[in-house]
Amino acid sequence: MDDIVLLRDVTEADLEVLFEQEHDPEAVRRSRFAPREREAFMHHWKTRILGDPTVFVQAVMVGGELAGNLVAWWEGDRRFIGYWFGRAFWGRGIGTRALGLFLDKEPARPLYADPFHGNTASVRLLERHDFERAGTVRHGDDEHVLLVLHPSRARRTDETSGNRRTAHAYVDSAERRDWEAFAALLAEDVVYEMPQTRERIRGKRPFLRFNMEYPGDWHLKVRRIVADGRHAAAWLDTRVGDEQQDACVWFEFSDEGLISRVTDFWPEPYEPPAGREHLVERW
């Protein structure tokens, strides 16, 4: 499914949903965090989170629903982050995308987190964003893993998150036929290839024209996007009329963060239709 993840400021109107999410029994078991009673929860959020200018908190929105929250706060001279997601949003890659967006907004480095050692999904989530293990800490009777995102890792994390957002924007602007926004994502010397038809297009202008002139009532929807350094890969649900196909797109990025190469992979080889020979080369 298409899970578009957005962040926004938390408001007091969100607190009832966040309270219910904190009291989910399975989430409590995995996190080893004792949920607060309603009065204590509301007081904590209104005074120590929303009322503290040093705390940075964001609501995670998915399809208009409040999926959870991410928060950064100071403990002495260390800046920590934490997060909580509703169970309905687990296992869909939402945490990964939301944390990437949050790290783009939260500038402090080093940045710490200390999930319960048995919460392996949370530990893996942080390690995917370049947090490194730095020992263990105890909270009551429980052992927690201490992880840290070092300043030296920040550039790679920012670059990867930026490339992920650019790949999403590429699909979104094409689906909306917003060709000005689409063109702004491309390097002037972008190269586009389709191995199944052995076609190649060189340069922003012909590639933009290729997309603008592409025939049929076509639509694109993101299933999943992954990124690493200067690369990203997208798994798409593509539709032309009533025909649906899965497709994969490989992106490469320039030093400036623009898309420098796009490779489209389709399920079956086919001969290209006539009428675009002036834009492509074959091999």
Side-chain angles (χ1 to χ4, degrees):
M1 64 186 301
D2 182 18
D3 289 323
I4 302 300
V5 178
L6 301 172
L7 301 185
R8 63 162 172 78
D9 292 340
V10 173
T11 68
E12 289 192 12
D14 297 322
L15 298 186
E16 285 294 336
V17 174
L18 300 182
F19 175 77
E20 293 177 5
Q21 291 173 346
E22 183 172 297
H23 279 254
D24 180 274
E26 181 61 17
V28 170
R29 185 189 71 80
R30 293 190 184 195
S31 66
R32 302 291 289 181
F33 178 82
R36 301 175 179 89
E37 297 300 325
R38 179 181 297 275
E39 184 176 346
F41 177 91
M42 296 299 174
H43 178 76
H44 176 79
W45 268 87
K46 291 177 183 180
T47 61
R48 300 192 62 184
I49 299 180
L50 299 180
D52 186 342
T54 70
V55 172
F56 177 55
V57 61
Q58 293 282 275
V60 181
M61 303 300 296
V62 178
E65 294 185 80
L66 179 57
N69 71 90
L70 301 106
V71 59
W73 70 96
W74 289 101
E75 288 188 13
D77 60 353
R78 287 182 171 182
R79 185 78 163 169
F80 275 81
I81 65 164
Y83 40 81
W84 202 281
F85 298 98
R87 198 197 305 192
F89 301 92
W90 295 358
R92 292 160 52 180
I94 290 167
T96 297
R97 278 169 275 170
L99 182 54
L101 294 173
F102 187 81
L103 292 174
D104 286 344
K105 293 173 175 282
E106 169 55 52
R109 303 292 189 273
L111 196 58
Y112 294 85
D114 58 352
F116 174 56
H117 79 93
N119 192 350
T120 55
S122 186
V123 174
R124 287 199 301 267
L125 170 61
L126 290 158
E127 290 179 330
R128 280 198 295 270
H129 286 279
D130 290 328
F131 281 76
E132 298 178 351
R133 299 189 187 219
T136 60
V137 294
R138 298 198 71 83
H139 295 299
D141 295 330
D142 296 321
E143 182 179 279
H144 290 241
V145 180
L146 182 66
L147 298 110
V148 58
L149 179 62
H150 294 287
S152 60
R153 294 289 188 173
R155 185 178 182 276
R156 179 171 179 262
T157 299
D158 291 347
E159 187 176 67
T160 297
S161 299
N163 291 344
R164 187 185 300 111
R165 290 197 309 274
T166 299
H168 269 286
Y170 173 95
V171 178
D172 178 64
S173 58
E175 171 62 24
R176 291 184 290 106
R177 312 305 194 259
D178 185 345
W179 301 119
E180 182 177 356
F182 184 86
L185 304 171
L186 306 175
E188 288 294 335
D189 58 351
V190 63
V191 175
Y192 173 73
E193 291 184 343
M194 287 192 293
Q196 281 78 6
T197 62
R198 306 184 311 283
E199 292 178 286
R200 180 182 296 119
I201 300 173
R202 298 182 185 273
K204 178 191 288 191
R205 289 187 179 181
F207 182 43
L208 181 61
R209 185 175 173 184
F210 171 83
N211 283 275
M212 294 173 67
E213 296 177 357
Y214 202 90
D217 180 27
W218 54 269
H219 296 279
L220 307 174
K221 181 185 289 188
V222 172
R223 289 180 178 268
R224 183 68 55 88
I225 288 180
V226 295
D228 182 13
R230 294 193 179 183
H231 305 91
W235 175 19
L236 304 182
D237 175 353
T238 68
R239 298 180 185 275
V240 181
D242 295 329
E243 184 180 355
Q244 184 272 335
Q245 289 190 88
D246 287 340
C248 291
V249 185
W250 175 256
F251 299 96
E252 297 180 21
F253 298 88
S254 69
D255 290 342
E256 294 75 27
L258 298 173
I259 296 171
S260 60
R261 181 176 289 270
V262 181
T263 308
D264 271 349
F265 296 95
W266 298 88
E268 297 292 339
Y270 64 95
E271 286 299 312
R276 60 195 192 203
E277 296 86 352
H278 59 296
L279 299 174
V280 306
E281 62 186 56
R282 303 291 304 277
W283 76 88

